[in-house]
Amino acid sequence: EAGVTQFPSHSVIEKGQTVTLRCDPISGHDNLYWYRRVMGKEIKFLLHFVKESKQDESGMPNNRFLAERTGGTYSTLKVQPAELEDSGVYFCASSLENPGQGIGYTFGSGTRLTVV
Amino acid sequence: SQKIEQNSEALNIQEGKTATLTCNYTNYSPAYLQWYRQDPGRGPVFLLLIRENEKEKRKERLKVTFDTTLKQSLFHITASQPADSATYLCALVTGGFKTIFGAGTRLFVKA
């Protein structure tokens, strides 16, 4: 089966611009997650979708970040306007069930965002 | 405060030896703990999960232990190979679906 696909793999934008990241989860995975790794730091949770509903968005840093998952398939994460501190690698992951069932998450390769 | 600590220094070992990585946590009560492998430019790859009521879990050359009293997990790779060189991430799940990651430990296995 195809894995989790993220697009673009890299993005360089200027401060104040808008960027939209896309994630295509594994087909049939109702659970979709966004995570972020800022340089030198650990990977941090942003939010969790179950189908098209936001189950937990406690990790979203501020209202410049907007995540959507219309139709419960792919998801987008928009940053508007981008700030320098938004630079990092944004990972998407999906799972069929609660990761505690033993299979963890399946991650995409990430989008490396650089804000200059 | 809540913390997950993994050795920030890289671990260098000789091929064939056992690599042991440590994950310590404070002020969490995880329902289960996971280990992931991450290669440069890639996303983390799930390796193993161990639940709070389990002491040890094995998968091929991998072994994970979980001591909820010490608040520590150890991750072992036996008969290590150069292909095992990567960053290994410890991750806790306290409840629900949200996973909290450590910063990872880099492992280098020399031939």
Side-chain angles (χ1 to χ4, degrees):
Chain A
E1 64 180 1
V4 176
T5 305
Q6 291 188 245
F7 182 84
S9 57
H10 294 82
S11 180
V12 181
I13 62 171
E14 291 185 351
K15 176 181 172 181
Q17 288 186 321
T18 297
V19 63
T20 300
L21 314 181
R22 173 170 169 147
C23 169
D24 287 76
I26 292 175
S27 177
H29 280 196
D30 288 340
N31 297 284
L32 186 149
Y33 316 82
W34 284 98
Y35 281 80
R36 175 174 76 168
R37 185 170 204 159
V38 173
M39 183 67 72
K41 302 286 189 180
E42 63 276 14
I43 295 172
K44 287 200 170 177
F45 171 84
L46 295 179
L47 88 160
H48 167 214
F49 282 101
V50 177
K51 297 185 181 179
E52 68 275 9
S53 299
K54 291 176 186 173
Q55 187 74 15
D56 181 352
E57 51 183 331
S58 60
M60 294 288 265
N62 52 60
N63 59 10
R64 295 185 294 103
F65 289 75
L66 175 64
E68 295 179 320
R69 192 182 182 196
T70 306
T73 54
Y74 71 91
S75 175
T76 58
L77 179 64
K78 181 190 289 187
V79 185
Q80 178 183 30
E83 298 289 345
L84 298 178
E85 64 264 25
D86 301 331
S87 297
V89 182
Y90 290 76
F91 290 105
C92 175
S94 71
S95 69
L96 185 60
E97 305 169 317
N98 182 323
Q101 298 304 311
I103 58 173
Y105 297 141
T106 301
F107 277 87
S109 292
T111 294
R112 180 173 295 279
L113 174 65
T114 303
V115 183
V116 297
Chain B
S1 62
Q2 296 177 316
K3 286 193 300 184
I4 302 174
E5 292 181 332
Q6 295 187 255
N7 196 335
S8 59
E9 291 185 15
L11 178 63
N12 291 282
I13 64 167
Q14 198 68 35
E15 181 177 13
K17 301 293 186 184
T18 296
T20 299
L21 286 69
T22 304
C23 174
N24 294 295
Y25 59 92
T26 54
N27 294 324
Y28 284 113
S29 296
Y32 45 90
L33 186 148
Q34 306 170 72
W35 284 88
Y36 286 80
R37 168 185 173 141
Q38 187 173 21
D39 292 283
R42 311 289 297 182
V45 174
F46 173 76
L47 297 175
L48 277 171
L49 176 149
I50 187 165
R51 294 181 175 80
E52 59 180 336
N53 60 350
E54 298 175 318
K55 296 294 186 186
E56 182 179 296
K57 184 73 71 73
R58 291 174 185 263
K59 179 182 177 183
E60 298 173 353
R61 295 185 295 111
L62 309 180
K63 185 178 83 171
V64 172
T65 63
F66 193 12
D67 189 326
T68 55
T69 301
L70 291 179
K71 296 188 183 298
Q72 180 182 79
S73 175
L74 299 179
F75 176 79
H76 307 271
I77 305 175
T78 59
S80 59
Q81 305 165 0
D84 295 326
S85 298
T87 296
Y88 290 87
L89 307 173
C90 165
L92 305 181
V93 183
T94 55
F97 290 61
K98 183 163 67 177
T99 297
I100 304 156
F101 285 87
T105 298
R106 293 197 69 184
L107 171 67
F108 293 99
V109 181
K110 295 178 288 186

